[in-house]
Amino acid sequence: MADNNRSIVPVIETKYDNMTQSEKIIADFFMKNKEDGDFTIKELSNKIFVSEASISRFAKKCGFDGYREFLYRYKESLRDGREDVALSTKTVMDTYQDLLNRTCCLMDEAQIARIVQYMDGCRRVIACGIGSSGLAVSEMESRFMRIGVDIDSLQDADRMKMQAIFMDTDSLVFGFSISGQTEPVLYLLQEAHNRGAKTVFITTHDRSYYREFSDEVVLTAYSKYLETGSTVSPQFPLLLMIDVIYNEYVNRDRKRKMALHGDTQRALYTGAGHTGADGSKQPGR
């Protein structure tokens, strides 16, 4: 598990959809509770009317050896908890800060290193997503192509289905979905996996069946405001993860990749000029 000083609520949130009804009752209690108290397994069982066995299974589903370890971590995290604030400018800032903190809780450095190894070992990279996730994959393409990665972004469902045919062992596919249920993205990941490509699924939800077709399931922070975009930009946690992967990838060969980045910058902003209407060379802008 993550460092003891980190909140475990983000971990509960990512596991939530994969829980039984009894486990969701337990999860709801711990996610909503703000005060310390007597949360021994017997007291909690009586308080929320679930069995002690369900509480033990809940703790293990969250990645702990048992309820005692879970409870210790939970009580530690309460020390840094804070109440929700009214919807205002401060709420927006607090929400972004909260997403940053939650992303840190979920970060797996070893996993990021493996993903970068996949990128080093592949010939072609595909990043796919629809809607807000599509905006994130477009940004990913723009950033990585500037440092020499052969990458394409797909935001159209039909293109995803067609491109699935061309995936092979030299391909790496990134699928982005905040909800974790975007059918065309899941289809491309499944087909690519079946054809031998490496696959990375970046989402805010953790469902066990994702691992049937994903070499890596990367969990990003979840907020109740994300899917509607009512308070913060939904693609924010996805962009955070792209930045983390980008930074790790650049650090593998920083001098060469920054030189490539500089070359593309000069090509964009200076260029070699353009041809005027009379055929004469005009200066670049």
Side-chain angles (χ1 to χ4, degrees), residues 121-134:
C122 74
R123 175 180 51 82
R124 185 187 184 200
V125 177
I126 295 290
C128 64
I130 292 176
S132 295
S133 299

Side-chain angles (χ1 to χ4, degrees), residues 15 62 155 219 265:
K15 306 289 185 183
C62 289
Q155 302 177 52
L219 298 175
Q265 288 289 94

Side-chain angles (χ1 to χ4, degrees), residues 26 76 168 205 224 246:
I26 303 165
E76 287 287 307
D168 56 27
H205 298 277
K224 62 184 178 181
Y246 178 88

Side-chain angles (χ1 to χ4, degrees), residues 16-279:
Y16 191 85
D17 287 343
N18 211 33
M19 291 181 180
T20 65
Q21 190 57 44
S22 294
E23 291 165 351
K24 286 181 178 180
I25 293 172
I26 303 165
D28 289 339
F29 172 81
F30 283 112
M31 289 191 293
K32 293 176 182 177
N33 177 69
K34 302 293 182 181
E35 303 294 333
D36 199 354
D38 184 356
F39 301 138
T40 60
I41 194 167
K42 184 175 182 179
E43 288 296 324
L44 182 62
S45 176
N46 292 332
K47 185 180 184 69
I48 61 176
F49 306 106
V50 297
S51 69
E52 294 183 18
S54 293
I55 297 173
S56 295
R57 286 194 297 270
F58 162 80
K60 290 180 179 179
K61 186 162 289 186
C62 289
F64 296 89
D65 291 335
Y67 180 67
R68 180 176 296 181
E69 182 188 2
F70 168 87
L71 184 58
Y72 174 79
R73 280 285 312 284
Y74 181 76
K75 285 178 173 287
E76 287 287 307
S77 70
L78 283 177
R79 297 177 183 177
D80 295 324
R82 64 175 186 270
E83 298 293 329
D84 291 335
V85 295
L87 292 178
S88 62
T89 300
K90 185 174 185 301
T91 299
V92 175
M93 300 304 169
D94 284 349
T95 301
Y96 276 119
Q97 185 60 58
D98 186 50
L99 286 170
L100 282 167
N101 294 339
R102 290 165 185 257
T103 298
C104 184
C105 294
L106 295 168
M107 190 66 61
D108 184 339
E109 298 286 354
Q111 183 181 57
I112 299 303
R114 289 195 300 270
I115 292 170
V116 169
Q117 285 183 330
Y118 299 158
M119 296 187 71
D120 282 336
C122 74
R123 175 180 51 82
R124 185 187 184 200
V125 177
I126 295 290
C128 64
I130 292 176
S132 295
S133 299
L135 297 176
V137 302
S138 179
E139 173 66 12
M140 184 176 186
E141 177 187 31
S142 177
R143 296 198 67 188
F144 279 88
M145 71 182 296
R146 293 188 180 190
I147 53 174
V149 176
D150 184 1
I151 180 172
D152 288 308
S153 62
L154 303 177
Q155 302 177 52
D156 177 78
D158 288 341
R159 286 194 65 201
M160 291 180 200
K161 292 177 181 178
M162 289 187 288
Q163 283 293 327
I165 304 300
F166 303 103
M167 298 298 99
D168 56 27
T169 55
D170 289 326
S171 305
L172 169 61
V173 178
F174 286 89
F176 290 78
S177 174
I178 294 171
S179 68
Q181 298 181 32
T182 310
E183 190 276 333
V185 172
L186 297 177
Y187 176 84
L188 177 54
L189 289 170
Q190 289 169 337
E191 289 298 310
H193 178 78
N194 291 340
R195 296 171 188 273
K198 289 292 187 182
T199 53
V200 177
F201 189 32
I202 301 179
T203 182
T204 61
H205 298 277
D206 188 8
R207 299 181 175 97
S208 57
Y209 75 89
Y210 294 156
R211 289 162 181 80
E212 296 174 8
F213 52 83
S214 303
D215 292 288
E216 302 291 342
V217 177
V218 180
L219 298 175
T220 65
Y222 175 79
S223 167
K224 62 184 178 181
Y225 303 116
L226 280 181
E227 299 201 25
T228 62
S230 60
T231 300
V232 299
S233 298
Q235 65 268 28
F236 177 70
L238 305 182
L239 293 172
L240 277 177
M241 193 56 60
I242 290 171
D243 284 345
V244 169
I245 296 170
Y246 178 88
N247 185 65
E248 179 68 18
Y249 182 75
V250 168
N251 283 339
R252 294 291 179 100
D253 190 358
R254 176 167 286 274
K255 184 176 180 180
R256 182 181 69 83
K257 290 168 183 173
M258 286 297 94
L260 288 170
H261 187 274
D263 289 342
T264 58
Q265 288 289 94
R266 284 188 290 275
L268 284 173
Y269 295 112
T270 60
H274 62 280
T275 302
D278 60 356

